[in-house]
Amino acid sequence: MTTPSQRQVFLEGEGDAWFQRNRLADADQVAHWIDQDPLAEWLENLPLPHGPEVSVFEVGCGQGIRLARLSLAKGWSVAGLDPSEKAIAAVNAAGCKGMVGTAEALPLADRSVDLLIYGFCLYLCDRDDLFRIAAEAHRVLKPEAWLAILDFWSPHQSMNPYHHRSGIQSYKDDLPAMFSWHPSYIVTDHHLRHHTTCSYTDEPQEWVAATLLRRCDFVYGQT
């Protein structure tokens, strides 16, 4: 019997279970989440114009809180992807565009995205999918676009059992390195914080990283 991929498991119900456990049910919870979001200030201050000509796409968008904030604050065209049908129903009900799917197959045109966000989802992706995930990101990003990753971080890969369902693993590793090895990607910001308190910590097992990268297909020094 073939063991299903983690991608399949999340598409076939675990994504909905994750969403039910983590959904923010009231305005105070949403406000607190927004206040603690390690990416919010970076993203709102990117050198991108206001208005719907800027395309933003979030993989692992959950109920779409970050997308809604960026749409409200910047007027950007926002959309998201999540394996949970319930999460995407919440995204669409909130007035944003959501699609059910996973990171290795983005339902987007080539070079169509100004800002691509991975919102705490890569730590659960099948390791065999990481090359495809990186290739999909490169395919959809515009030549001078931005890429943001929020996830667990470690300089060395580790694997731990997923607490909520047997047979699933969660991973900690250097996820931004999926892109930073490539000559066209430059890390512009990288902050490590505590997983739950969002404060500085010397406990490696609690590290979460917020990382911002720029795709720079142009050659520096040339006009």
Side-chain angles (χ1 to χ4, degrees), residues 48-181:
L48 292 168
H50 283 65
E53 69 273 16
V54 173
S55 172
V56 178
F57 195 82
E58 182 172 13
V59 181
C61 64
Q63 67 195 85
I65 297 172
R66 184 179 291 114
L67 290 175
R69 172 174 176 161
L70 293 175
S71 176
L72 180 64
K74 308 295 290 188
W76 293 338
S77 295
V78 301
L81 186 80
D82 200 278
S84 167
E85 293 184 4
K86 292 182 178 180
I88 294 306
V91 171
N92 291 328
C96 295
K97 183 180 180 181
M99 292 161 272
V100 176
T102 48
E104 86 297 337
L106 301 181
L108 300 168
D110 295 357
R111 298 193 172 196
S112 61
V113 176
D114 295 287
L115 168 61
L116 180 63
I117 306 165
Y118 289 101
F120 232 105
C121 59
L122 294 175
Y123 78 104
L124 290 171
C125 292
D126 296 286
R127 299 297 93 172
D128 286 348
D129 282 346
L130 293 186
F131 279 116
R132 285 192 286 175
I133 290 169
E136 276 291 89
H138 188 71
R139 179 182 68 80
V140 304
L141 286 169
K142 294 179 181 179
E144 298 178 19
W146 297 86
L147 173 67
I149 302 172
L150 177 64
D151 219 308
F152 290 113
W153 188 89
S154 172
H156 310 291
Q157 181 171 269
S158 64
M159 182 174 69
N160 300 288
Y162 182 63
H163 296 304
H164 304 287
R165 180 163 174 165
S166 63
I168 301 231
Q169 305 296 326
S170 66
Y171 300 90
K172 294 182 181 180
D173 43 31
D174 184 3
L175 291 165
M178 291 169 57
F179 302 94
S180 60
W181 68 269

